Amino acid sequence: MLVLGIETSCDETGIALYDTEKGLQAHALYSQVKLHADYGGVVPELASRDHIRKVVPLIEEAIKEAGVTQNDIDGIAYTRGPGLIGALLVGSSVARSLGFAWNVPTVGVHHMEGHLLAPLLDDIDLEFPFVALLVSGGHSMLVKVDAIGSYELLGESVDDAAGEAFDKTAKLLDLDYPGGPRLAKLADKGNSERFTFPRPMTDRPGLQFSFSGLKTFAANTIRDLKAASESGELSEQDKADVAAAFQEAVIDTLLIKCKRALKQCNVKQLVIAGGVSANVQLRAQVTELMNKLGGKAFYPAPAFCTDNGAMIAYAGAQRLLAGQTDELSDQVLPRWPLDELAPIN
């Protein structure tokens, strides 16, 4: 089965063609980073309009790259939610229109299920059950995965997601948008031991996350440094040291929660996915942790950590193979709990 995947949940237009027998055949991605840079964050209306401009040309590009025609496509998967409602509507409208025109089934995919299954694009030796840590700009959650479509939410952020906290702290340090990757790069030059940042919600039982207070601690640290400076501004070393301490606190917090989840579920396989999973230090420390525990960590390829069409095509293909398709009454879901997904029989 050849499946066209369409991802338009936020600020990336992702298109891919996935063959259930041959694997990924093509993928195309357009990022709106430059469009939103002047605003310091994603502007929903601008994001929706840009998806409209880019989605069809990218579909044509992917079809050409794969060396197929529209007649070879057996189904279409699109991101149904969660995400920005206007952006989601672009993808769903295009997917359903093409499905009707080409007489092929369509299926709406949960954005986080796409991230969760992204490592499987590389045909890795990952067995069920496993624990997944999903970390991105909008989500931080731990999930037990018993099978594709069978998910148990173990814990999630009660306020800011990890990626969101990265971006907000980067803004406090006057780093350009998108701030998260820039903060991580700056942290490489810093001394993480200069400041002692808290590890939120690790001094109590449970698997919930909270990163809002960590961001506030960073803001207070920056304020105190400016007050103590003759110029009233941070030096480059100050910025690097704050970035290093902040990043280490986030990673330590994630590791502590992952270790608890693995013990609670009695498994030794851990998937790290979502935009923050591209963080080099996070990957290194997670790999070290899993080696100590006698387990193994799995990650998506770097190109598939951020939003992309390939993960949607793969997840959609699994549901189409199971006979799941859209109903005409189905609507996009800007808010959609992962554990409410229909299982794959």
Side-chain angles (χ1 to χ4, degrees), residues 32-306:
Q32 300 177 1
V33 165
K34 292 182 179 179
L35 176 67
H36 301 289
D38 290 341
Y39 305 95
V42 177
V43 181
E45 177 66 20
L46 296 181
S48 302
R49 292 183 181 185
D50 213 45
H51 285 308
I52 293 171
R53 287 191 289 266
K54 299 297 182 181
V55 65
V56 172
L58 287 176
I59 290 173
E60 293 173 341
E61 178 184 328
I63 289 175
K64 182 178 180 180
E65 179 186 337
V68 299
T69 70
Q70 65 187 48
N71 296 326
D72 297 311
I73 295 173
D74 301 303
I76 302 173
Y78 65 92
T79 304
R80 186 182 175 197
L84 302 175
I85 187 167
L88 293 170
L89 284 169
V90 175
S92 66
S93 298
V94 171
R96 290 186 174 195
S97 297
L98 291 178
F100 182 81
W102 297 346
N103 194 30
V104 296
T106 61
V107 65
V109 171
H110 193 291
H111 181 75
M112 298 312 294
E113 181 177 48
H115 277 304
L116 190 154
L117 299 179
L120 296 174
L121 285 163
D122 286 336
D123 194 28
I124 58 176
D125 185 23
L126 176 60
E127 298 179 355
F128 299 99
F130 60 84
V131 167
L133 171 67
L134 305 179
V135 276
S136 66
H139 303 273
S140 294
M141 60 177 69
L142 281 162
V143 182
K144 183 185 179 188
V145 182
D146 291 311
I148 295 178
S150 180
Y151 310 122
E152 178 188 351
L153 181 62
L154 303 173
E156 61 185 336
S157 180
V158 298
D159 42 52
D160 290 355
E164 184 180 4
F166 262 95
D167 288 339
K168 288 181 176 179
T169 302
K171 194 170 184 177
L172 292 171
L173 292 170
D174 296 322
L175 301 180
D176 292 336
Y177 176 84
R182 298 180 190 278
L183 186 149
K185 186 175 181 180
L186 180 62
D188 291 339
K189 305 175 183 178
N191 174 16
S192 63
E193 297 181 357
R194 180 179 171 187
F195 306 105
T196 302
F197 277 48
R199 276 55 174 166
M201 297 184 74
T202 59
D203 58 349
R204 69 192 74 174
L207 296 172
Q208 300 291 83
F209 298 100
S210 171
F211 294 105
S212 179
L214 191 59
K215 174 204 65 184
T216 301
F217 191 93
N220 291 338
T221 302
I222 292 168
R223 180 201 61 200
D224 293 344
L225 285 171
K226 287 182 177 180
S229 170
E230 291 183 2
S231 66
E233 299 295 334
L234 299 184
S235 69
E236 288 305 307
Q237 192 59 51
D238 287 336
K239 291 183 179 180
D241 292 345
V242 170
F246 172 82
Q247 176 176 258
E248 185 174 273
V250 173
I251 291 175
D252 279 354
T253 300
L254 294 174
L255 290 178
I256 291 168
K257 299 290 184 171
C258 284
K259 189 174 180 179
R260 287 182 186 176
L262 291 165
K263 183 178 181 180
Q264 177 177 312
C265 297
N266 193 30
V267 298
K268 292 190 175 182
Q269 294 188 111
L270 178 66
V271 163
I272 310 288
V276 181
S277 70
N279 184 285
V280 175
Q281 288 299 320
L282 175 62
R283 288 192 176 214
Q285 293 189 42
V286 166
T287 299
E288 182 180 352
L289 170 66
M290 296 310 294
N291 287 339
K292 288 180 179 178
L293 296 177
K296 190 172 182 181
F298 299 88
Y299 317 91
F304 302 129
C305 288
T306 54

Side-chain angles (χ1 to χ4, degrees), residues 12-35:
E12 271 118 2
T13 310
I15 305 296
L17 283 164
Y18 178 82
D19 190 298
T20 53
E21 294 182 358
K22 302 176 183 177
L24 187 63
Q25 300 299 291
H27 70 96
L29 183 69
Y30 176 79
S31 174
Q32 300 177 1
V33 165
K34 292 182 179 179
L35 176 67

